Amino acid sequence: LSVCSKLCYAIGGAPNQVAGSAAAFFLQIYLLDIAHITPFHASLVLFIGKASGAVTDPVAGFFISKSRWTKIGRLMPWMLACTPFTVASYFFLWYLPPFVAGRVAWYLTFYCLFQALTTLFQVPYSALTMFLSTDQKERDSATAYRMTMEVLGTLIGAALQGQIVASAHVSHHCTTNVSANTSSQGSSLHEPSVPELLDPLSHPVYMIAAGVIGGVYLLGIVIFFLGVKEKDDPYALTSDRAIPFCKGLRLTMKHGPYVKLTASFLLISTAVQLEQSNFVLFCTHAADLRNHFQYLVVTILVSAAVSIPFWQKILQRFGKKCAACGISVSKPPGEKNPLCWYNVTLGASDFGLRFTSILLIPRSMLPDVVDDFRLQNPHGKGHETIFYSSYVFFTKMSTGIGLGISAAGLEFTGYKPGICKQSDDVILTLKILIGAVPAVLIVVGLFILLFYPITEESRKETKLALEVLR
């Protein structure tokens, strides 16, 4: 693979991360504080949206596995066809409709569409890793390029969104009357002394951000299409038949390495998603950094981007399974004190390191699992999309459940949108959601990963056996 091909392939994954990052960091606070949707309804939007994307994964895998080869490949037509609709659904996701009664249905519809359409892109794009090269080192190298660009895409998405929409969340009332609000007792914890109405500038600000990110999305897909050439399965014989989707799904669920890898990383991904979606809320309401959260988000993603070469070296020197232990690196944001900025920034940096490992390590391990399955089923083909679609399905379902429980927890503890100071119960809930719960999920996920059977030695043996098969 040439460097140009790897770069173009990597750039193709960036647009989804640009849009997904903006939604992950800012959609929950947008629904709560801008659209003025209750936390319960916001939890429904987040959970059902993630669930719709998860359900789309096996459906997409089924139809893609039935696709025929075209002049531009078998996977590429799917990615090109869904792109314009993805951009449109993303744009309307950030539109504030003039009516109030139907806002929940509006955001639910377009978030479900956005999640489903990004799935239609992500499943063939992820499976494309297996059709770039037969060499494991080349695929790992392409994956590292991809992760670099995806982390940069995440950085670009969060930075663009944060800088453009920051003004919509700055409350001059809260800034100038902090002492009055903090000294208030009783009902003042739930309602500000001066009612805070929706900032009329927040609507076009979010629309401008959506338009900019939509343009970045289209540009990345064009570069990807022009620079990447899909290759057919080099191991397939003319006598080989495609594995039926349902049969392939059953075989996938019985494949030990895949089950252990998926179970481990769906828990760890849920932990990272909880931190990501609640970080802006934590900075705004628990750490009194409402005017600086956009810089902290950038801190997370810059540390993530800078750490990619570090993780790649760890993967090469110590192996993928050992590198996964680095996910346990964690420094949750500290308590509110004079060193709060330092504590939260340090926690953000550590979260950035963990964020990179979550992106890089499972994506580099999944091709090894597919190779292992291929060796055990030498006369079948078309199983790649089944592996990738079911992996994303379980990951999205787990994160959807986590986000739903997260927002429901805020509803239960009395979160009130648009006020200067939340109750102590809400602040405690945010600290638990961003600290204790992710820590427990990561520990359990790493424990499951201890039983993952593919080592560096077995991976080399599989590579040699596939070369013989080829």
Side-chain angles (χ1 to χ4, degrees), residues 50-320:
K50 286 286 186 180
S52 68
V55 171
T56 308
D57 283 300
V59 175
F62 174 78
F63 285 107
I64 292 170
S65 65
K66 299 287 185 181
S67 301
R68 295 182 178 181
W69 190 267
T70 67
K71 292 182 179 179
I72 59 174
R74 185 164 61 92
L75 304 175
M76 189 69 74
W78 287 88
M79 293 180 272
L80 295 180
C82 68
T83 295
F85 300 102
T86 305
V87 174
S89 64
Y90 179 80
F91 184 79
F92 286 109
L93 178 63
W94 302 99
Y95 175 72
L96 189 66
F99 49 84
V100 177
R103 280 184 184 173
V104 175
W106 175 277
Y107 291 114
L108 181 60
T109 299
F110 284 104
Y111 191 51
C112 287
L113 281 174
F114 174 68
Q115 288 292 333
L117 290 166
T118 53
T119 295
L120 285 176
F121 180 91
Q122 195 64 32
V123 169
Y125 176 77
S126 299
L128 186 61
T129 308
M130 304 301 299
F131 300 99
L132 294 176
S133 174
T134 59
D135 187 87
Q136 289 181 350
K137 289 185 178 179
E138 287 293 317
R139 289 202 306 253
D140 288 346
S141 177
T143 300
Y145 274 80
R146 171 189 166 189
M147 292 304 101
T148 303
M149 291 306 302
E150 288 192 355
V151 170
L152 289 175
T154 305
L155 171 60
I156 291 170
L160 280 176
Q161 187 87 358
Q163 295 299 324
I164 293 174
V165 309
S167 60
H169 296 282
V170 173
S171 171
H172 298 292
H173 170 71
C174 293
T175 303
T176 56
N177 296 283
V178 172
S179 59
N181 281 280
T182 55
S183 62
S184 299
Q185 302 293 328
S187 62
S188 63
L189 287 175
H190 300 285
E191 292 185 6
S193 56
V194 179
E196 292 188 76
L197 300 177
L198 182 66
D199 184 353
L201 294 177
S202 61
H203 173 203
V205 161
Y206 270 95
M207 293 291 287
I208 291 170
V212 171
I213 291 177
V216 173
Y217 202 107
L218 291 174
L219 178 62
I221 299 303
V222 170
I223 295 173
F224 167 67
F225 172 68
L226 295 177
V228 176
K229 185 176 181 181
E230 182 182 345
K231 301 174 184 177
D232 203 357
D233 184 359
Y235 297 130
L237 304 174
T238 54
S239 59
D240 289 348
R241 293 184 178 181
I243 299 177
F245 183 82
C246 293
K247 178 183 177 181
L249 194 58
R250 287 196 301 271
L251 292 173
T252 298
M253 293 300 103
K254 294 178 181 179
H255 193 59
Y258 179 73
V259 172
K260 293 178 177 66
L261 181 69
T262 303
S264 172
F265 277 99
L266 69 84
L267 291 174
I268 296 171
S269 298
T270 302
V272 172
Q273 187 70 44
L274 281 173
E275 291 180 301
Q276 191 175 5
S277 62
N278 288 290
F279 187 78
V280 175
L281 283 171
F282 174 85
C283 292
T284 302
H285 298 297
D288 285 341
L289 296 173
R290 66 175 64 244
N291 297 334
H292 306 285
F293 66 80
Q294 66 270 29
Y295 307 116
L296 292 168
V297 169
V298 172
T299 300
I300 290 175
L301 299 172
V302 167
S303 64
V306 170
S307 66
I308 287 181
F310 163 77
W311 285 116
Q312 188 64 13
K313 289 292 183 183
I314 294 293
L315 286 173
Q316 293 172 355
R317 180 160 184 174
F318 298 103
K320 300 175 182 180

Side-chain angles (χ1 to χ4, degrees), residues 427-447:
I427 293 174
L428 178 61
T429 301
L430 287 171
K431 290 179 180 179
I432 293 174
L433 289 174
I434 205 172
V437 175
V440 172
L441 292 174
I442 289 172
V443 169
V444 176
L446 289 176
F447 177 76

